[in-house]
């Protein structure tokens, strides 16, 4: 028994994949394997599978799943591996049975100080070879994302260790492609980027190394607002001046391995087509085919059905496998093209195919019977007792292939088809995906030669534009090979133009678009229409419910069509219930829709899709933020509504899955005269995007909505969007001046039009800015006015927001009882209206009030309640704020060690999600903690970082931290240190 989680989750028994494991079963098995040897309780499994709101049947489902896993283990004679202990379930794989354990063991056996760096590198390479893609692929349970991130981090650490070893051995040339791939996938990984820069520099490619440096610097600034570290800056400067210490070490020459002499080919007739000499990759698939044939050694036919989209390399793989296995089939290697997707030709019928195969076996034409049944019988008779390999290429379906299958024979039959041959009993299915990046680089380089090696980054651009599709890669490489004046970068530039990309990927004899057209022509009329309409949708993937709206069809009919397109390999499915195109097929579908769908039909289809997204989003947001329901646009149900989310868990799950599609539809709508849709979508999603740290999406969507509101003359939408943008700038970026400008513009518009709801929100926003600047009298004026307006409007959520804001203002003025009363009223309203985010904010504000009163135990209880709610509701910004507040209370209680841990956790979260105010607050707190612990250097480092952030935020804390730093210098000189005034931690407004 072998378990794999470093890729798709699999439980593999000798001879076959473990049967009967549904997706949920695999998710539970993977969680147990992640904690192998540790007892996991049922409650913990329930939380891992469903999060804070499991279904009523959760415990029963866990028990059913455990029973299913045990059945699978029992069938593999490993039933003792999963045991029940008093503390829960524990799985205990033997050494070598779990790929994660193997990976960890190999890395542990690769010590950093080894005298044999080559052996260490080999161990790390062996460990990395265990990875088969994204870890826990296919697992969507709540625990998977964080576990996947941890595993990926371990993999990248191993890659970096390997790169360090290989650079020290002078093998920089060999590293460039590998490091380019990993850097492209992890553009913010500084150490990885530095290693690629060094490898490129040592290879004499200073310009490319500096280009990598510039790209990293820009990406880091755009995504996180940060600058690279000292080591990066030093390396960049050393590369610029060609520092001698960057030169590669002197190494011994590598001796070329001795190759075995070529073997003599088989005795029988070989009718297989030409085996391309530059065949690259597919080692896993080839090994699987060979193992499949080797395991079926009992005199029976082995049938493998290789399916995949047009251009993915099915025929190339089958032919290559046939040539590799030819020696094992001395009685012949046969081939017939069944012409399912051959331009200008009808598919070959079974009778004609049998005539070809019988002729290849040496049967004279005069002895071939007339009827298909007789030909099939003769074919089976001729193969009896023979060892023959047959490739049945380009099959239309199971009906075409079934008469061609041998009977009792040691034959291997390889079938290729663009459709999944689900009706072909006994066949082993092998679905081909596009090439992994490393294999695609190898194929492109094998065709192009040295020019590819000189431009690794441009090669990756070309491959991505080709979607790693082998046919597209071959055509692009062939074009470049025959145009000696072209560079790889020039080819990439031509391919970036979507209007000409498919025409660029064509030659006089073959083309990607032509291959796609043949697939399209084999679809039914209903399937063709669905294919065309799917090309219109702006997002990356689609659910059956969204496809139902797009096509205007009942849900079950739409889902059946999606499954048909999936079987035909014109759609792909990377996640359960989600359908997507290969990038080139998406362009082909869009071009086909433009040519065959009338403009009105295209617009109506997109209108139905946008209405579905907007209505479902509105229903989901109402579950999560019920207190703001009356402030959001009310969206009527579409003509064929899909079932909306039923609770908070379903709502957040739907929003998380559809977020990219929602943002894409908002952008498309803004650019194609659906201005109201963009405005309504931005207003609907605002609280979700803001609360769940999707500030980049929030800012982009609100800026589109602002332009849409102004373009359409919708003043109410313009004011609402200005307020929402102000909240993004205030909360996440700490851009208080810009936030105030947006709030003031909104206030002027609202007063001019008599929009009292917008006036109330804008006044409240200005109050938060004034409070952050410690202008408490002005803050009180704004909050009092907005409270008055919210009460007149009956907006209880707005009223609660103003009450807790006033509570903070009272606390700053030393009016503690008034502050407590405001917070109590706000908390009551938020709990009555079901506002989790409001409850979190009030709990933290109450905790800060208790800290001001010296009641630190009570303060920590409130902050801990806020922390737990933040985590269960997935509000990372509020989680960071709660951790900082807990740390401040711990320090005040004389526990600097606990304070350091909590500030560190807050800083990590704030950095990850780009929450600048809480980054500054964490650095400030850590500076104080390390000063308390006499770690002056660390205190100074954190204080300087806090100062940089506070200065950028333009807040009063900047002057306080300057005083603190001056005090640190005095302390270092031996004088008495003094405490700086406590910083007023920022409080977050509740929109």
């Amino acid at each position: 028994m072998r378990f794999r989680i470093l890729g798709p989750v699999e439980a593999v028994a000798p001879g076959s994949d473990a049967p009967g494991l549904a997706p949920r079963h695999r998710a539970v098995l993977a969680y147990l394997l992640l904690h192998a040897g540790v007892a996991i309780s049922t409650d913990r499994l329930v939380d891992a599978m469903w999060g804070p709101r499991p279904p009523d049947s959760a415990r029963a489902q866990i028990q059913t799943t455990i029973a299913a896993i045990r059945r699978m283990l029992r069938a593999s004679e490993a039933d003792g591996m999963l045991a029940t202990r008093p503390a829960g379930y524990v799985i205990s794989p033997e050494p070598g049975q779990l790929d994660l354990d193997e990976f960890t063991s190999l890395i542990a056996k690769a010590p950093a100080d080894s005298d044999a760096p080559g052996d260490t590198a080999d161990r790390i390479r062996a460990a990395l070879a265990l990875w088969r893609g994204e870890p826990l692929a296919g697992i969507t349970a709540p625990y998977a994302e964080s576990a996947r991130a941890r595993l990926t981090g371990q993999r990248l650490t191993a890659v970096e260790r390997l790169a360090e070893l290989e650079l020290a051995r002078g093998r920089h040339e060999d590293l460039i492609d590998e490091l380019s791939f990993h850097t492209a996938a992890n553009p913010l990984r500084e150490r990885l980027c530095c290693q690629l820069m060094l490898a490129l520099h040592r290879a004499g490619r200073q310009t490319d190394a500096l280009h990598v440096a510039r790209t990293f610097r820009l990406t880091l600034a755009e995504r996180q607002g940060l600058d690279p570290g000292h080591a990066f800056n030093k390396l960049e400067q050393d590369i610029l001046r060609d520092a001698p210490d960057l030169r590669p070490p002197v190494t011994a020459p590598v001796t070329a391995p001795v190759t075995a002499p070529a073997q003599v080919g088989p005795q029988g007739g070989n009718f297989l087509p030409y085996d391309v000499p530059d065949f690259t990759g597919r080692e896993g698939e080839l090994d699987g085919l060979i193992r499949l044939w080797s395991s079926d050694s009992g005199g029976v036919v082995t049938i493998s059905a290789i399916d995949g989209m047009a251009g993915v390399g099915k025929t190339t793989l089958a032919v290559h496998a046939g040539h590799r296995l030819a020696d094992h089939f001395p009685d012949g290697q046969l081939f017939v093209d069944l012409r399912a997707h051959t331009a200008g030709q009808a598919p070959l019928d079974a009778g004609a195919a049998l005539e070809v195969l019988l002729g290849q076996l040496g049967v004279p034409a005069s002895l071939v019977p007339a009827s298909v049944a007789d030909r099939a019988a003769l074919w089976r008779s001729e193969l009896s007792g023979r060892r023959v390999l047959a490739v049945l290429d380009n099959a239309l379906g199971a009906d075409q292939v079934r008469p061609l299958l041998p009977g009792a024979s040691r034959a291997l039959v390889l079938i290729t088809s663009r459709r999944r041959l689900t009706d072909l009993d006994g066949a082993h299915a092998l679905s081909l995906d596009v090439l992994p990046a490393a294999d695609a680089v190898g194929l492109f380089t094998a065709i192009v030669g040295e020019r590819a090696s000189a431009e690794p980054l441009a090669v990756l651009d070309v491959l991505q534009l080709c979607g790693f599709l082998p046919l597209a890669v071959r055509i692009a490489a062939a074009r470049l090979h025959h145009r000696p004046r072209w560079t790889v970068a020039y080819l990439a530039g031509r391919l970036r133009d979507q209007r000409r990309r498919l025409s660029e990927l064509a030659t006089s004899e073959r083309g990607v678009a032509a291959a796609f057209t043949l697939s399209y022509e084999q679809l039914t009329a209903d399937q063709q229409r669905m294919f065309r309409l799917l090309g219109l949708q702006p997002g990356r993937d689609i659910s059956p419910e969204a496809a139902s709206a797009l096509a205007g069809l009942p849900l079950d009919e739409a889902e059946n069509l999606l499954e048909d397109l999936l079987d035909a390999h014109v759609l792909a499915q990377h996640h359960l219930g989600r359908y997507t195109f290969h990038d080139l097929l998406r362009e082909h579908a869009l071009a086909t829709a433009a040519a065959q769908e009338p403009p009105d039909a295209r617009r109506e289809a997109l209108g139905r899709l946008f209405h579905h997204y907007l209505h479902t989003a509105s229903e989901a947001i109402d579950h999560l933020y019920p207190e703001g329901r009356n402030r959001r646009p009310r969206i009527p149900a579409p003509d064929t509504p899909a079932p909306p989310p039923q609770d908070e868990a379903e709502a957040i799950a739907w929003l998380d899955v559809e977020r990219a599609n929602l943002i894409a539809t908002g952008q498309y709508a803004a650019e194609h005269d659906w201005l109201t849709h963009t405005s309504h979508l931005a207003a609907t999603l605002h609280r979700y995007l803001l609360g769940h740290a999707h500030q980049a999406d929030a800012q982009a969507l609100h800026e589109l909505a602002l332009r849409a509101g102004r373009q359409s003359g919708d003043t109410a939408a313009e004011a609402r969007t200005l307020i929402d943008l102000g909240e993004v700038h205030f909360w996440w970026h700490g851009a208080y001046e810009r936030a105030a400008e947006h709030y003031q513009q909104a206030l002027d518009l609202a007063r001019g039009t008599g929009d009292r709801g917008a006036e109330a929100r804008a006044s409240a926003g200005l109050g938060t800015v004034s409070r952050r600047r410690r202008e408490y009298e002005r803050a009180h004026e704004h909050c009092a006015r907005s409270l008055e307006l919210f009460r007149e409007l009956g907006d209880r959520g707005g009223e609660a927001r103003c009450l807790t804001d006033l509570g903070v203002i009272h606390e700053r003025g030393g009016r503690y009882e008034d502050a407590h009363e405001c917070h109590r009223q706000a908390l009551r309203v938020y709990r009555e209206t079901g506002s989790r985010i409001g409850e979190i904010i009030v709990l933290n504000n109450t905790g800060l009030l208790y800290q001001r009163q010296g009641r630190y135990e009570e303060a920590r209880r409130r902050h801990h309640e806020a922390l737990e709610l933040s985590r269960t509701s997935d509000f990372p910004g509020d989680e960071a704020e709660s951790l900082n507040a807990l740390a401040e209370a711990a320090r005040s209680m004389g526990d600097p060690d606990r304070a350091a841990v909590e500030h560190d956790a807050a800083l990590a979260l704030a950095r990850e999600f780009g929450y600048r105010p809480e980054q500054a607050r964490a650095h400030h707190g850590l500076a104080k903690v390390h000063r308390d612990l006499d770690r002056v250097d660390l205190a100074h480092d954190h204080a300087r970082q806090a100062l940089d952030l506070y200065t950028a935020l333009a807040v009063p804390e900047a002057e306080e931290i300057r005083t603190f730093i001056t005090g640190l210098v005095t302390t270092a000189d031996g004088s008495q240190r003094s405490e700086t005034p406590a910083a007023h931690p920022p409080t977050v407004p509740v929109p």
Side-chain angles (χ1 to χ4, degrees):
M1 198 71 199
R2 181 166 174 77
F3 302 100
R4 300 170 179 164
I5 60 176
L6 303 180
V9 175
E10 295 176 348
V12 181
S16 69
D17 200 322
L21 284 184
R24 178 70 67 191
H25 302 164
R26 290 182 185 275
V28 172
L29 175 61
Y31 190 79
L32 292 170
L33 291 169
L34 283 168
H35 303 86
V38 176
I40 305 297
S41 67
T42 300
D43 288 341
R44 188 171 169 186
L45 283 171
V46 168
D47 182 67
M49 294 304 115
W50 290 281
R53 284 176 172 75
D56 293 339
S57 60
R59 295 180 70 85
Q61 289 190 51
I62 292 296
Q63 293 168 359
T64 301
T65 298
I66 293 295
I69 295 172
R70 281 188 166 137
R71 283 195 300 273
M72 178 270 294
L73 293 172
R74 193 176 302 115
S76 303
E77 299 181 353
D79 49 327
M81 191 178 296
L82 178 59
T84 303
R85 300 281 184 262
Y89 304 106
V90 58
I91 193 165
S92 304
E94 296 292 330
Q97 290 186 319
L98 176 59
D99 58 358
L100 176 58
D101 284 351
E102 283 190 86
F103 172 77
T104 305
S105 175
L106 284 166
I107 294 299
K109 292 176 183 176
D113 57 351
S114 171
D115 293 331
D119 293 343
T120 301
D122 289 343
R123 286 194 179 96
I124 297 176
R125 284 200 182 279
L128 291 170
L130 295 167
W131 288 73
R132 298 169 297 112
E134 182 184 62
L136 305 175
I139 303 299
T140 59
Y143 78 85
E145 185 174 356
S146 60
R148 193 175 289 124
R150 286 196 304 275
L151 293 172
T152 300
Q154 293 176 33
R155 181 189 192 184
L156 290 175
T157 300
V159 169
E160 290 166 347
R161 280 192 61 195
L162 177 63
E164 208 66 46
L165 287 165
E166 299 292 49
L167 285 168
R169 298 170 67 200
R171 302 184 66 176
H172 43 272
E173 294 275 7
D174 299 336
L175 278 174
I176 290 173
D177 287 343
E178 188 173 359
L179 287 175
S180 297
F181 167 71
H182 285 295
T183 305
N186 303 276
L188 298 180
R189 193 89 174 183
E190 184 168 312
R191 186 182 179 196
L192 207 59
C193 182
C194 287
Q195 290 169 334
L196 175 58
M197 290 161 59
L198 182 57
L200 288 167
H201 177 69
R202 287 182 174 176
R205 294 163 58 184
Q206 184 188 44
T207 302
D208 289 335
L210 293 173
H211 174 74
V212 172
R214 285 193 299 274
T215 301
F216 174 77
R217 188 181 293 280
L218 289 171
T219 304
L220 189 64
E222 289 172 0
R223 296 194 186 180
Q224 295 189 349
L226 299 174
D227 293 324
H230 173 73
F232 177 94
N233 292 328
K234 183 177 184 304
L235 176 62
E236 187 178 29
Q237 291 301 314
D238 287 348
I239 291 173
L240 275 169
R241 61 186 181 85
D242 194 17
D245 56 351
L246 293 188
R247 292 170 187 167
V250 179
T251 57
V254 179
T255 304
V258 178
T259 57
Q263 295 184 353
V264 179
Q267 298 290 323
N270 188 328
F271 295 90
L272 296 175
Y274 171 65
D275 185 18
V276 291
D278 51 22
F279 183 92
T280 305
R282 302 294 191 201
E283 289 302 321
E285 292 87 346
L286 283 167
D287 290 346
L289 289 172
I290 293 169
R291 285 197 306 271
L292 174 65
W293 169 75
S294 301
S295 63
D296 289 346
S297 57
V300 297
V301 180
T302 302
I303 304 168
S304 181
I306 305 169
D307 58 69
M309 67 179 289
V312 82
K314 301 177 294 295
T315 300
T316 304
L317 174 64
V319 169
H320 186 73
H323 283 290
R324 278 186 57 171
L325 290 169
D327 290 342
H328 300 282
F329 298 95
D331 297 323
Q333 302 87 45
L334 316 181
F335 180 90
V336 61
D337 181 2
L338 299 176
R339 300 195 313 221
H341 301 93
T342 303
Q345 299 188 51
L348 200 66
D349 62 52
L354 285 165
E355 184 175 8
V356 172
L357 292 168
L358 287 168
Q360 291 177 3
L361 281 178
V363 177
S366 59
L367 298 181
V368 175
S371 73
V372 174
D374 289 341
R375 288 181 180 185
L378 178 60
W379 163 249
R380 291 191 295 272
S381 175
E382 287 291 327
L383 286 184
S384 178
R386 294 196 190 191
R387 297 169 64 90
V388 169
L389 181 149
V391 177
L392 310 181
D393 186 47
N394 200 7
L396 180 63
D399 289 342
Q400 185 189 28
V401 167
R402 203 173 284 112
L404 312 182
L405 300 180
S409 169
R410 281 298 315 277
L412 172 61
V413 180
L414 302 178
I415 305 166
T416 72
S417 176
R418 294 188 189 180
R419 301 191 65 86
R420 289 182 171 85
L421 303 182
T422 54
D423 293 329
L424 196 63
D425 296 337
H428 300 270
L430 172 60
S431 292
L432 287 190
D433 202 349
V434 296
L435 287 172
D439 291 348
V441 169
L443 174 60
F444 188 87
T445 304
I447 298 171
V448 173
E450 292 182 0
R451 277 188 292 168
S453 301
E455 298 180 77
L457 299 178
V459 168
L460 282 175
D461 284 344
V462 169
L463 297 177
Q464 288 167 349
L465 291 165
C466 291
F468 300 99
L469 183 70
L471 174 61
V473 173
R474 282 189 173 278
I475 291 174
R479 295 198 70 194
L480 186 63
H481 179 68
H482 290 285
R483 286 163 176 77
R485 296 192 180 277
W486 283 17
T487 63
V488 184
Y490 176 75
L491 173 62
R494 293 176 68 96
L495 292 174
R496 282 195 188 93
D497 186 348
Q498 290 189 355
R499 295 168 300 177
R500 58 190 287 183
R501 186 178 303 160
L502 288 174
S503 61
E504 287 287 334
L505 295 173
T507 66
S508 59
E509 294 186 0
R510 61 181 177 173
V512 173
F516 291 165
T517 298
L518 291 170
S519 292
Y520 174 77
E521 290 173 348
Q522 292 292 337
L523 303 175
T524 66
D526 288 342
Q527 292 166 358
Q528 288 180 347
R529 177 176 178 268
M530 179 63 86
F531 174 82
R532 294 193 301 269
L533 295 181
L534 290 173
L536 298 175
Q537 80 109 357
R540 297 299 302 170
D541 65 359
I542 199 164
S543 67
E545 292 80 7
S548 167
L550 178 71
L553 295 172
L555 178 58
D556 57 349
E557 189 174 338
E559 189 165 17
N560 288 338
L561 287 172
L562 291 172
E563 287 293 315
D564 292 341
L565 296 178
L566 186 64
D567 285 341
H569 280 292
V570 295
L571 282 183
Q573 188 174 63
H574 301 308
H575 302 285
L576 187 66
R578 312 293 303 180
Y579 300 84
T580 189
F581 278 120
H582 183 277
D583 287 348
L584 295 177
L585 259 171
R586 185 188 312 278
E587 292 177 25
H588 185 69
L590 180 58
T592 307
Q596 299 184 18
E597 287 288 330
D600 288 347
R602 299 201 300 270
R603 190 167 180 85
E604 288 172 7
L606 284 172
R608 291 191 298 267
L609 177 67
F610 293 173
H611 193 174
H612 159 77
Y613 278 140
L614 187 53
H615 177 261
T616 312
S618 179
E619 295 285 317
I621 296 295
D622 284 349
H623 280 296
L624 297 174
Y625 307 101
E627 78 286 353
R629 178 186 178 92
N630 294 331
R631 282 183 245 141
R632 293 187 289 269
R634 303 320 305 156
I635 311 301
D639 293 337
T640 55
Q646 297 300 308
D647 53 31
E648 288 185 29
E650 288 187 14
I652 195 67
W654 187 88
L655 288 164
D656 285 347
V657 168
E658 297 288 4
R659 174 168 58 91
N661 290 330
L662 293 168
I663 300 301
T665 60
Q667 180 176 350
Y668 184 94
E671 295 169 353
H672 294 83
D673 201 28
W674 265 291
L675 303 180
T676 301
H677 174 82
T678 302
S679 295
H680 283 179
L681 185 66
T684 300
L685 293 179
H686 173 66
R687 280 303 309 125
Y688 161 73
L689 294 174
L690 197 63
H692 292 268
H694 305 307
Q695 59 270 29
D697 285 342
Q699 184 167 339
L701 184 58
H702 289 320
E703 286 175 352
L704 289 169
L706 184 60
R707 287 199 294 272
R710 287 171 174 169
Q711 186 176 342
S712 63
D714 188 341
T715 307
E718 182 182 352
R720 179 181 64 216
T721 308
L722 282 166
I723 296 166
D724 290 344
L725 267 173
E727 288 170 351
V728 174
H729 289 301
F730 181 96
W731 190 350
W732 286 101
H733 304 318
Y736 304 121
E737 187 65 34
R738 196 165 183 186
E741 290 173 3
H742 286 310
Y743 291 143
Q744 188 61 54
Q745 290 177 43
L747 183 61
D748 294 342
L749 285 171
R751 285 175 174 169
T753 58
D755 186 343
R756 293 195 301 162
E759 182 183 353
R761 289 187 66 205
S763 294
L766 286 168
T768 59
V769 174
S770 297
R771 191 185 70 227
R772 188 67 186 89
R773 292 169 170 169
R774 302 184 185 172
E775 299 167 350
Y776 297 124
E777 288 187 13
R778 183 177 297 178
H780 190 280
E781 291 174 7
H782 286 301
C783 286
R785 173 59 179 159
S786 59
L787 178 60
E788 178 185 347
L789 288 169
F790 279 130
R791 282 176 169 165
E792 288 178 9
L793 295 166
D795 187 333
R796 301 193 71 206
E799 177 186 353
R801 174 213 177 137
C802 292
L803 283 168
T804 195
D805 284 353
L806 284 170
V808 175
I809 294 169
H810 286 313
E811 173 239 310
R812 298 288 191 264
R815 299 180 295 276
Y816 298 146
E817 286 309 314
D818 290 342
H820 275 298
E821 181 57 29
C822 285
H823 290 324
R824 277 194 292 269
Q825 291 182 47
L827 187 61
R828 183 172 62 251
V829 172
Y830 279 134
R831 284 176 171 167
E832 288 173 357
T833 57
S835 173
R836 292 284 188 88
I837 183 67
E839 187 175 351
I840 292 166
I841 299 301
V842 176
L843 286 169
N844 270 329
N845 285 343
T846 304
L848 294 174
L849 174 57
Y850 279 132
Q851 287 196 53
R852 278 298 192 95
Q853 295 178 284
R855 298 159 66 179
Y856 300 117
E857 288 289 355
E858 292 169 282
R860 280 190 64 87
R861 280 198 292 273
R862 296 301 184 276
H863 294 315
H864 190 73
E865 286 182 65
L867 178 66
E868 291 303 310
L869 274 175
S870 301
R871 286 173 170 169
T872 57
S873 303
D874 189 26
F875 295 143
D878 299 279
E879 184 179 348
E881 188 179 356
S882 303
L883 285 164
N884 270 331
L886 280 165
E888 289 157 357
R891 177 175 175 268
S892 296
M893 296 169 69
D895 192 348
D897 291 321
R898 176 185 288 185
V901 170
E902 289 166 342
H903 273 314
D904 277 332
L907 180 59
L909 264 178
R911 276 178 171 167
E912 180 180 356
F913 293 101
Y915 192 3
R916 295 205 303 166
E918 289 304 315
Q919 287 181 52
R921 183 179 176 187
H923 279 303
H924 196 163
L926 284 165
K928 293 179 180 180
V929 167
H930 288 304
R931 194 270 315 277
D932 293 345
L933 295 169
D934 292 325
R935 301 168 182 163
V936 178
D937 289 343
L938 282 173
H940 190 273
D941 182 55
H942 282 290
R944 292 298 308 179
Q945 293 184 69
L947 177 59
D948 290 344
L949 286 163
Y950 282 144
T951 303
L953 297 174
V955 292
E957 286 88 344
E959 189 57 40
E960 293 172 3
I961 201 71
R962 285 192 186 94
T963 304
F964 179 89
I965 292 171
T966 302
L968 280 180
V969 174
T970 303
T971 301
D973 290 340
S975 303
Q976 184 177 1
R977 70 188 181 194
S978 61
E979 177 69 86
T980 58
H984 293 285
T987 53
V988 182
V990 185

